[in-house]
Amino acid sequence: MEQHVVFDTCADFEFGLNGVRQTDYFIYNADYKDGLVVYIPGFGGDLGEYAKAFCEKTAKQYQMAALTLNYFCIGSRPSAGAKVEVHNTEKAKVEQAFIQMGGTGEASIEALNALLMNSNNHIKLTGDLVPTKNEYQNFGLLAALDIINAIKDAAQRFNLSLDNVILVGSSYGGYLANLVTKLYPGLIKAVFDNSSWAQTNLAYVVGQEMGVPEFSYQVYPKVILDLNVRSPWTLTQGLPNTFGGGRKEIRGFSRSQLQSMVEQGGQDTFYVFYHAATDTIAPTQEKIDMANNMAELGFKHVLMNVVDESDVDGHFIKNLGHGMGMSMRKFFEVGYGFLQEINPDFKFNDQLKQAVFETSDLIYQFDLSADVVTGQVTTKNKFS
């Protein structure tokens, strides 16, 4: 049975916003009290009905509650309902190309494409992706806190055990799953992660400033749009919204950040990583380094599976691209099999009231004691 819940979560504390936001989740079979599966969709194809179907079927098969949620800045691709807005500065580029191609009448992208169809040329334009909830790019932090707060809300609202919470996600969804275990060490029993980033991808935060799109969209056969979600961050130094240093570090999994997770009780979570050896979107070596550091620092169960040509079976592993063409239900089955085989001893750490992460220039603190987990960030004392 599906239930729709609106819940409170935290505001963007990095920009000094106070109070709470609200977002929502969908939960299935909440009468199963002994476990909770959280499906975390990524940027595109596994949103909406795919995520709901995964939860509904998984809940019935494994007799655990299952939920998926609309985390911050979800729906940031055209296939997921995002709007595309071409930059005003590109209008002159369209008009110029239209005239050069011999066009007459009103210059439009559609009309230009019609002219280009008879040539070997194409045109690239830049623009913005406007997510379905008109939010902005935060890359991970607020979304991970939304997931934590959804889990806390569901556990309290439906009397679910927090000793058996499993997160599953692909690409950005897998990255968010790992970030949840960082911000709240000892909350999650297991993570099944397909092809996630190990470090912050700047293209998603300041890509427009760098001239690097986070998503290219072929809007017409001869017209390609290079797009980025609107972002409040900048690389310009010395501003309140400068992105770098601690802003970047808190969103990544460097050795020092992983060490902080261990020191705060995060070593018991069970991790299953699958990653294509030739992944060109989420760097494979960074993921291998992350897994090796985790093992060396005392994380008890980290399974790193680097997939090569010999692993492509057309059933579970379909290709060596980003995500490997995996069925996420099959991936969950494989991950759950590993979990049952190893059967790690895990109990939710209800004694941890605050998680603290020091970075090169900032200190991030997360209050875990309240119903809604919130964060705060302060400048590090240079003389301490």
Side-chain angles (χ1 to χ4, degrees), residues 195-209:
S195 307
S196 81
W197 289 275
Q199 302 299 334
T200 310
N201 188 326
L202 290 178
Y204 293 82
V205 186
V206 287
Q208 200 164 97
E209 191 172 326

Side-chain angles (χ1 to χ4, degrees), residues 123-323:
I123 189 169
K124 276 193 174 185
L125 305 172
T126 61
D128 292 323
L129 288 162
V130 183
T132 51
K133 298 172 73 175
N134 201 33
E135 292 167 331
Y136 53 87
Q137 184 58 269
N138 173 268
F139 200 75
L141 201 59
L142 288 178
L145 289 169
D146 287 349
I147 296 163
I148 290 169
N149 284 320
I151 292 168
K152 290 195 70 173
D153 182 273
Q156 183 175 11
R157 189 183 299 265
F158 299 105
N159 193 29
L160 305 177
S161 170
L162 286 175
D163 293 336
N164 188 25
V165 180
I166 302 172
L167 307 184
V168 55
S170 178
S171 189
Y172 186 58
Y175 165 76
L176 292 178
N178 294 324
L179 195 57
V180 166
T181 70
K182 176 181 178 177
L183 303 185
Y184 200 140
L187 173 64
I188 305 301
K189 181 177 183 178
V191 167
F192 305 154
D193 159 18
N194 170 14
S195 307
S196 81
W197 289 275
Q199 302 299 334
T200 310
N201 188 326
L202 290 178
Y204 293 82
V205 186
V206 287
Q208 200 164 97
E209 191 172 326
M210 296 168 61
V212 179
E214 66 172 87
F215 180 72
S216 291
Y217 178 45
Q218 190 164 356
V219 63
Y220 292 112
K222 292 287 187 173
V223 181
I224 298 171
L225 300 182
D226 283 346
L227 305 169
N228 295 82
V229 174
R230 292 172 179 169
S231 173
W233 298 104
T234 180
L235 291 173
T236 303
Q237 294 298 308
L239 298 176
N241 59 332
T242 299
F243 192 86
R247 309 287 189 194
K248 181 180 178 183
E249 292 165 39
I250 193 61
R251 291 167 166 83
F253 297 91
S254 67
R255 188 178 179 90
S256 63
Q257 294 290 293
L258 291 169
Q259 179 67 53
S260 293
M261 291 172 66
V262 172
E263 291 170 354
Q264 296 175 89
Q267 71 278 354
D268 292 336
T269 298
F270 178 90
Y271 295 88
V272 177
F273 298 147
Y274 269 76
H275 214 98
T278 55
D279 194 325
T280 59
I281 294 177
T284 307
Q285 190 57 52
E286 288 183 357
K287 194 62 168 292
I288 293 171
D289 292 344
M290 173 182 169
N292 288 341
N293 282 331
M294 292 172 81
E296 291 172 7
L297 289 169
F299 285 80
K300 294 180 181 178
H301 303 288
V302 181
L303 300 183
M304 179 73 215
N305 298 279
V306 180
V307 175
D308 59 26
E309 289 184 4
S310 66
D311 298 305
V312 178
D313 58 9
H315 177 58
F316 178 42
I317 308 292
K318 297 184 177 66
N319 57 61
L320 292 181
H322 182 61

Side-chain angles (χ1 to χ4, degrees), residues 9-14 17-21 142 145 372-375:
T9 186
C10 73
D12 193 341
F13 64 93
E14 288 183 294
L17 302 180
N18 299 315
V20 298
R21 291 182 293 116
L142 288 178
L145 289 169
V372 176
V373 173
T374 57

Side-chain angles (χ1 to χ4, degrees), residues 58-102:
T58 300
K60 290 180 180 178
Q61 181 175 350
Y62 295 92
Q63 296 193 335
M64 290 187 285
L67 73 76
T68 189
L69 73 153
N70 288 315
Y71 56 71
F72 188 84
C73 201
I74 201 167
S76 61
R77 296 292 183 267
S79 61
K83 293 186 294 185
V84 173
E85 294 183 355
V86 177
H87 292 157
N88 288 333
T89 54
E90 299 292 75
K91 292 180 180 179
K93 185 176 179 180
V94 171
E95 291 174 359
Q96 183 180 15
F98 184 72
I99 293 170
Q100 288 176 344
M101 294 290 297

